[in-house]
């Protein structure tokens, strides 16, 4: 593995390529961990994203030196990777054509993910909204990644994003209000079916 | 939006949050000045603020759940439908067999299935495993589902049960509504105003019932309104799935279709019964205009429109719409919740009063007139015996006897049974009782033609078009409504509808303490009479009505009495027993309750006559006697008391002359009561006064045109008069009204024999549902046909099976066969057994052939039908 520490250090200095490579590592790690978690606990109801992010972080941090104050970056990247993992899952469901009254959905007799496309739609809507927000307020997007996708606490988010907890609180509050408005009519859009 | 603009918004947002809520607006206005966009944006964000975190938390949770699911199979090609294994037809889920997939939507998958136990078609709606998931949410879901399942209302699609698959998956079992959704209907174009108002009013009614139970639908929209093949409106899919959906911290965070969300729901996620009413307003608008009141290209725009914009005036989209109706819709869509209709009942009232437009609908086709009469051909020799001055009846006249022609008189009304809004079937006696008492009260007006209970009650509200009911009953008005008893209050809503066009000419809601029930009834009757421009002469004739009430004023006693009446109507042994218990209880609670004593007595008689014999019968007659005496002592002017005494004198003591005097007095005391008149008619017939009986019967049927038993009685009198064709019409009419009635086919068989159509007689005999009557009818039919072998065998069977219960009928058969000796032997036996059939002696055409035989007179004397009185009057 490349020297993660140096990649992260370079990334924190603004080196985009370094960032990308570092991120790729983080993402791979996280995705693997997510798969493993799902395989381990059959019939579990939710993916424990927080645990995953922490697990990824720990694994990756082991490759870096101790006393490394880039921890925040790593946590942030892991959160971002978590977003991507969830979005990927959502996109898979999205590809299953839905909408209309006479559709066939794949079902086993005990699992009827009739609502899965709905949840997928939501996830993707948040994702797309964040993409829009990225152009205006990237910091807020980071906060949302940590809070929403990774499920990190306020202090953890503060560390990941590199701001004070008070700032995180305010950013998160505004983000929630903003996202809520952005997602208005989500159900309706969903019900009409993909155009 | 630029980062700078966003910055400004953010700053203002946070600054405003620091202020107390009332101050925010002014602050923002001051700070924004001309910058309306920023102002709007910040205000919108502030509005979205409340509950937003919880909402996001819910989404996040769902996202995580989604991730935990096994991935779907890869689609064959992008955009193609993925056809995987669904629940295949024939799969058994609990005790339901899957038939077809009906569809899938946001909140679950729906199948059509067959309940293999109850053999009926249902709809199964599966909920996602993780929505009805763990602990708290699941409990809440089950509780609400149970509550919704308890709703019983003609306009609510019933939920039968909540099932669980072996894997623990929950599903809802609902009635399967065969029909189209309102969405489909609207897609074809706007609806005629009258129909739109009808539909909306029915939905309002359904919502009223749900709200009374504390259930908010939450998802009222055209997709959830089904119209079945009979045109009935059914509200489906009470948003139960949405309950499992809501995060516990913010119950309002539902995912309703935004186009139907109310402003307060959009802003704050508030949900209460008015949420449903708003949505209904939107639906109504959509039905009338063909488009929704609020639109937006993006969903932000839609939300903004709902919270800020006024919908386009209906009349610009639909010129010619009544101003009144537009006002109703606009009020339902008032942005300020306080200005809207506050309850479903209010909205329904408004719709009924203002909503109906004059539609140019053509009158409904008349139901086919009964088959005209066949010319009697092939007379058998013995028919001459029955020619009592009979002329050949022209076919039309015969039918006309039975079916009165002509338009409905203007001052006429039918009181339909009030709907019981509590939705509990065991409370029906109360609403039925109130309806019946209203009929009685209104009947007191000499200026009103009021349809009797039997006929009106065939139409429980919500089934037929008012015009159709008006035609069947020949009335110009209908009174319909609903009543609920909730704790100490009675809520009653009534409306008077003109049957010609369904318009409402009067409506009113009452909300009174239960203890003032009688005053409420009086007020209601007076108001209705006034609306019909008729005078109510309350109690002047001393007829039933206020005399139906216990002197003590005890509502408990009154209720017991109503329950007794309700049970009596079912007219069978078990029903009579139950009625007796109820009347006794009424008397316990109020020993001076004359009406309860009277009905108790009469019910004993009916029980005895129909179902008892021997020593027990004598005891029953004693009880009836005591009760009737008591009733008369308590209220000498009570019609029912005289009628009860008459019944005792006639059936128990065979003093029919005495009985007739009492029955006649009852009719005098209650001149507008179809029941008393009809019962008197029976007694007149018993005494052989057939023309008088006929007159009374016809008068009774005029206000009870759909009373099946009444036609049977009419037919008997007509048979006695030798008017066989008319008798046949009457019986056919009775069967039309009550196809499963016992004895009608048997009487038809007899009638056909008298008309000379033995083949028809045999056919009718075979159709008789009651086994003992069928034996009798077959014995007659075979004899008339000259089929000796079968005739003998059938007679032997009749004797073997029913010698102790149908001695009179055996006599009838012998009479038809021309065997006088056996006829009188069996009549004597009937007399010894006190067979109630003996009351028919003076109008039974089969026996009257032996009128001249001295044994006949002897028999008449012994059964209290002295020969001096026989013959027509």
């Amino acid at each position: 593995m490349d020297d993660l520490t140096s990649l992260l250090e370079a990334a924190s200095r603004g080196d985009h390529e370094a960032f990308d490579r570092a991120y790729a590592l983080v993402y791979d790690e996280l995705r693997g961990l997510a798969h493993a978690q799902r395989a381990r606990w059959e019939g579990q109801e939710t993916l424990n994203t927080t645990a995953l992010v922490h697990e990824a972080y720990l694994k990756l941090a082991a490759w870096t030196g101790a006393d490394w104050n880039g921890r925040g970056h790593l946590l942030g990247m892991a959160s971002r990777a978590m977003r991507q993992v969830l979005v990927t899952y959502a996109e898979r469901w999205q590809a299953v054509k839905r909408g209309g009254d006479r559709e066939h959905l794949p079902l086993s007799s005990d699992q009827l993910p009739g609502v899965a496309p709905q949840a997928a739609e939501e996830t993707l809507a948040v994702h797309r909204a964040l993409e829009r927000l990225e152009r205006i307020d990237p910091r807020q997007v980071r906060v949302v990644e940590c809070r929403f996708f990774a499920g990190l606490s306020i202090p953890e988010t503060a560390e990941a994003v590199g701001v004070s907890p008070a700032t995180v609180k305010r950013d998160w509050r505004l983000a929630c209000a903003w996202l809520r408005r952005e997602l208005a009519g989500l159900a309706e859009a969903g019900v009409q079916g993909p155009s | 939006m630029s980062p700078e603009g966003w910055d400004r918004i953010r700053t203002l947002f946070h600054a405003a949050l620091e202020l107390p809520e009332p101050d925010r607006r002014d602050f923002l206005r001051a700070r924004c000045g001309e910058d309306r966009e920023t102002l709007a944006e910040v205000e919108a964000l502030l509005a979205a603020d409340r509950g937003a975190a919880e909402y996001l938390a819910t989404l996040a949770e769902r996202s995580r759940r989604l991730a935990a699911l096994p991935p779907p199979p890869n689609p064959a090609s992008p955009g193609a439908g993925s056809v995987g294994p669904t629940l295949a037809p024939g799969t058994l889920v609990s005790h339901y067999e899957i038939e077809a997939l009906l569809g899938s939507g946001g909140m679950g998958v729906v199948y059509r299935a067959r309940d293999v136990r109850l053999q009926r078609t249902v709809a199964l709606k599966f909920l996602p495993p993780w929505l009805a998931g763990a602990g708290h949410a699941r409990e809440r879901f089950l509780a609400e589902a149970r509550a919704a399942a308890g709703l019983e209302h003609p306009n609510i699609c019933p939920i039968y049960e909540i099932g669980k698959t072996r894997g623990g998956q929950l599903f809802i079992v609902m009635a399967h509504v065969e029909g189209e959704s309102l969405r489909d209907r609207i897609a074809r174009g706007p609806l005629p105003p009258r129909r739109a108002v009808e539909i909306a009013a029915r939905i309002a009614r359904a919502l009223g019932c749900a709200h009374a139970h504390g259930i908010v639908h939450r998802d009222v929209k055209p997709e959830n309104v089904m119209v079945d093949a009979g045109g009935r409106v059914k509200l489906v899919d009470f948003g139960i799935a949405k309950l499992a959906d809501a995060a516990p911290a913010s119950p309002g965070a539902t995912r309703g279709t935004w186009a139907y969300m109310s402003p307060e729901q959009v802003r704050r996620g508030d949900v209460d019964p008015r949420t449903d009413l708003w949505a209904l307003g939107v639906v109504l608008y959509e039905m009338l205009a063909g488009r929704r009141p609020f639109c937006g290209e993006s969903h932000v725009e839609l939300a903004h429109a709902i919270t800020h914009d006024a919908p386009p005036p209906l009349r610009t989209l639909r010129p010619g719409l009544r101003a009144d109706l537009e006002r109703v819709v606009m009020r339902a869509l008032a942005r300020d919740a306080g200005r809207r209709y506050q309850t479903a009942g209010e909205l329904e009232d408004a719709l009924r009063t203002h909503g109906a437009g004059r539609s140019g609908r053509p009158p409904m086709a008349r139901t086919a007139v009964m088959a005209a009469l066949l010319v009697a051909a092939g007379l058998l020799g013995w028919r001459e015996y029955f020619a009592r001055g009979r002329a050949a009846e022209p076919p039309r006249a015969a039918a006309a006897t039975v079916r009165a022609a002509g338009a409905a008189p203007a001052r006429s009304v039918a009181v339909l049974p009030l709907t019981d809004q509590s939705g509990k079937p065991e409370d029906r006696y109360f609403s039925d009782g109130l309806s019946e008492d209203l009929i009685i009260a209104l009947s007191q007006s000499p200026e009103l033609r009021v349809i009797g209970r039997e006929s009106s009650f065939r139409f429980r509200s919500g089934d037929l078009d008012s015009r159709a009911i008006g035609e069947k009953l020949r009335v110009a008005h209908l009174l319909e409504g609903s009543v609920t008893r909730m704790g100490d209050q009675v809520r009653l809503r009534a409306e008077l509808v003109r049957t010609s066009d369904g318009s409402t000419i009067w409506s009113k809601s009452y909300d009174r303490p239960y203890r003032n029930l009688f005053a409420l009834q009086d007020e209601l009757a007076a108001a209705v009479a006034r609306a019909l421009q008729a005078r109510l002469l309350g109690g002047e004739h001393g007829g039933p009505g206020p005399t139906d009430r216990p002197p003590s004023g005890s509502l408990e006693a009154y209720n017991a009495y109503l329950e007794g009446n309700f049970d009596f109507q079912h007219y069978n042994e078990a029903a009579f027993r139950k009625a007796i218990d109820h009347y006794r209880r009424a008397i316990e609670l109020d020993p001076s309750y004359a009406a309860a004593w009277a009905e108790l007595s009469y019910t004993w008689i009916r029980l005895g006559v129909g179902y008892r014999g021997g020593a027990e019968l004598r005891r029953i007659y004693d009880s009836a006697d005591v009760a009737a005496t008591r009733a008369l002592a308590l209220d000498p002017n009570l019609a029912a008391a005289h009628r009860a005494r008459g019944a005792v004198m006639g059936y128990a003591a065979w003093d029919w002359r005495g009985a007739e005097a009492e029955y006649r007095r009852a009719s005098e005391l209650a001149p507008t009561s179809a029941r008393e008149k009809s019962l008197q008619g029976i007694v007149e017939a018993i005494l052989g006064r057939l023309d008088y009986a006929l007159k009374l019967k016809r008068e009774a049927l005029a206000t009870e045109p759909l009373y099946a038993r009444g036609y049977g009685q009419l037919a008997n009198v007509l048979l006695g008069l030798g008017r066989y064709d008319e008798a046949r019409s009457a019986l056919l009419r009775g069967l039309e009204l009550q196809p499963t009635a016992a004895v009608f086919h048997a009487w038809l068989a007899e009638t056909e024999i008298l008309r000379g159509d033995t083949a028809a007689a045999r056919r009718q005999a075979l159709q008789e549902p009651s086994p003992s009557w069928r034996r009798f009818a077959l014995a007659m039919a075979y004899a008339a046909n000259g089929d000796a072998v079968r005739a003998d065998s059938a007679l032997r069977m009749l004797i073997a099976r029913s010698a102790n219960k149908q001695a009179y009928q055996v006599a009838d058969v012998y009479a038809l066969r021309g065997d006088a000796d056996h006829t009188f032997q069996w009549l004597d036996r009937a007399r010894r057994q006190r067979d109630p059939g003996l009351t028919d002696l003076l109008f039974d055409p089969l026996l009257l052939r032996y009128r001249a035989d001295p044994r006949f007179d002897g028999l008449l004397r012994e059964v209290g039908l002295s020969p001096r009185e026989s013959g027509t009057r």
Side-chain angles (χ1 to χ4, degrees), chain B residues 137 266 315 441 448 539 583 752-753:
Chain B
V266 168
R315 292 202 291 167
L448 273 183
Y583 290 135
E752 296 293 8
I753 290 172

Side-chain angles (χ1 to χ4, degrees), chain A residues 92 102 107 110 122 137 184, chain B residues 10 71 85 102 169 255 299:
Chain A
R92 259 198 254 168
R102 302 285 175 261
L107 308 156
D110 273 333
E122 289 161 13
D137 190 348
Chain B
R10 185 182 35 215
L102 288 179
Q169 174 100 45
R255 312 283 321 285
H299 306 291

